[in-house]
Amino acid sequence: MIDLKDINIILTGATGGIGNSILENLILTGANVLATGTNENKLNSIKEKFKNVQTEKFDISNHSEIENFINKANSSLGGKVDILINNAGITKDNLLMRMSEEDYDRVMEVNMKSVFNMTKACQRTFLKNRKGSIINMSSVVGVKGNAGQSNYAASKSGIIGFSKSIAIELGSRNIRCNVIAPGFIKTEMTDKLSEDIIEAWNNNIPLKRPGETQDVANLCLFLASDLSNYITGQVINVDGGLLT
């Protein structure tokens, strides 16, 4: 049984399907979590449902406020943050010929630049404590690309390169940085897809089925725990063998 009692964690994108499963896992292990998102109603539901969780409505694309947010988080979590989980992200899919510059920039701002700013703001605490763990959410699309998702793929690929660099840069200070790359995961978004599209995805997956949000959350929990103390700079796919 993984025990994260008294471990302080910031989790972005906590109101989505994957984020909510990650949060449930963390709470069950006793962690103190500051959960962020932009949906106030969902954040209120989280606060009512779980103990050991604080919620903060925060748009991580508001980069000028990230450092202030991290300072407040340090204070509210007893003076330090132990783990940062950058899970928030958006999509604005379209073929390149129809994709606007605004949609490209927006996805990069939310998905990629927020990871840079959140990590940079948190590293002061990690360096002071000479320990920390950063878990960044990418996607198999960031590894292999996907038609109609050039902006999303660029942002998720950028997270991989950034994370590997941070793992090298901060490793000597006992700060780890790893990446999770989910494949086709069953969420509210995939529930809206047609049966033909779902069947086409499943046919390309060796396990012949989509993953569950819990599959991603379980890996996140492992990377947050001391069981992964010697793992850093890695990209771990949760994809049913899609990229095999």
Side-chain angles (χ1 to χ4, degrees), residues 13 24 53 75 78 108 116 164 213 217 222 238 242:
E24 288 191 16
V53 62
S75 178
M108 294 298 290
F116 162 76
K164 285 180 172 290
T213 57
F222 169 72
V238 185
L242 180 64

Side-chain angles (χ1 to χ4, degrees), residues 46-139:
I46 286 172
K47 198 167 185 178
E48 291 174 4
K49 183 178 180 181
F50 299 112
K51 297 179 180 179
N52 298 333
V53 62
Q54 301 178 51
T55 60
E56 180 83 22
K57 184 180 179 182
F58 184 67
D59 183 356
I60 58 171
S61 67
N62 190 357
H63 302 302
S64 63
E65 292 298 320
I66 283 180
E67 188 164 353
N68 288 335
F69 168 75
I70 295 298
N71 289 336
K72 286 172 59 180
N74 272 314
S75 178
S76 64
L77 290 171
K80 70 183 180 77
V81 174
D82 299 300
I83 298 169
L84 170 64
I85 304 174
N86 285 308
N87 173 66
I90 63 169
T91 59
K92 287 187 176 293
D93 298 345
N94 219 328
L95 295 174
L96 180 60
M97 67 178 66
R98 300 192 185 112
M99 184 178 293
S100 68
E101 186 174 349
E102 180 182 7
D103 283 350
Y104 181 89
D105 289 343
R106 178 63 178 166
V107 169
M108 294 298 290
E109 284 281 321
V110 173
N111 294 4
M112 177 66 236
K113 193 172 181 181
S114 67
V115 171
F116 162 76
N117 281 315
M118 291 288 288
T119 303
K120 185 175 182 181
C122 270
Q123 75 168 344
R124 293 179 183 176
T125 297
F126 295 155
L127 289 169
K128 181 180 178 181
N129 297 331
R130 296 192 67 81
K131 185 177 182 179
S133 178
I134 304 155
I135 303 168
N136 293 327
M137 198 65 63
S138 180
S139 167

